[in-house]
Amino acid sequence: MVIMYLVLACGVGALVRYFLSTLNQKRVLPLGTLLANLLGCFLIGLFYNYVEDKELYAILATGFCGGLTTFSTLNDELQKLLTDKKIFYRYFLLTYLGGLVAIFLGILLCKCLVF
């Protein structure tokens, strides 16, 4: 049954990413992909301390966040931005450093909410 929930959660995450990708149009940076990846990182950090059940954590972190975030689209967009090194590095750093910060913010937020 966990597999079915994983598949469903992954699909929902992918749909959220799809709707966020509409923000990519006519922008210098692919904002929708950046938001999807940062949101996914934040949620993984939040789920890390908040969700104790391993199966539920797998469904939320691996399923939903796995469907939401996208490594392949990120790398495709980075490759397209290579013509402008400044924008390339800005997007690269925003995604990777921002992702790490988002994970830690999710973990810290969870610790602040626990009494």
Side-chain angles (χ1 to χ4, degrees):
M1 197 62 174
V2 173
I3 299 292
M4 294 303 294
Y5 289 129
L6 269 168
V7 169
L8 180 63
C10 185
V12 171
L15 284 172
V16 172
R17 182 183 68 221
Y18 172 77
F19 288 116
L20 286 173
S21 72
T22 61
L23 300 173
N24 288 351
Q25 299 169 359
K26 298 179 184 176
R27 298 199 189 266
V28 176
L29 290 178
L31 183 62
T33 304
L34 179 64
L35 288 174
N37 288 334
L38 294 179
L39 176 62
C41 289
F42 175 77
L43 291 174
I44 287 172
L46 190 66
F47 299 150
Y48 178 76
N49 279 330
Y50 189 69
V51 179
E52 293 181 16
D53 182 275
K54 290 184 181 201
E55 289 180 346
L56 181 58
Y57 179 80
I59 291 166
L60 294 173
T62 305
F64 178 76
C65 292
L68 175 63
T69 59
T70 172
F71 189 70
S72 57
T73 301
L74 166 68
N75 284 312
D76 178 56
E77 291 166 347
L78 281 170
Q79 178 270 326
K80 290 176 183 172
L81 293 173
L82 275 173
T83 56
D84 187 337
K85 300 285 189 214
K86 188 175 181 179
I87 294 173
F88 170 87
Y89 286 116
R90 184 179 302 154
Y91 185 51
F92 180 85
L93 290 172
L94 277 171
T95 300
Y96 284 102
L97 293 179
L100 284 173
V101 168
I103 287 174
F104 290 120
L105 285 175
I107 291 170
L108 288 174
L109 177 66
C110 184
K111 288 183 178 184
C112 292
L113 294 176
V114 176
F115 303 121

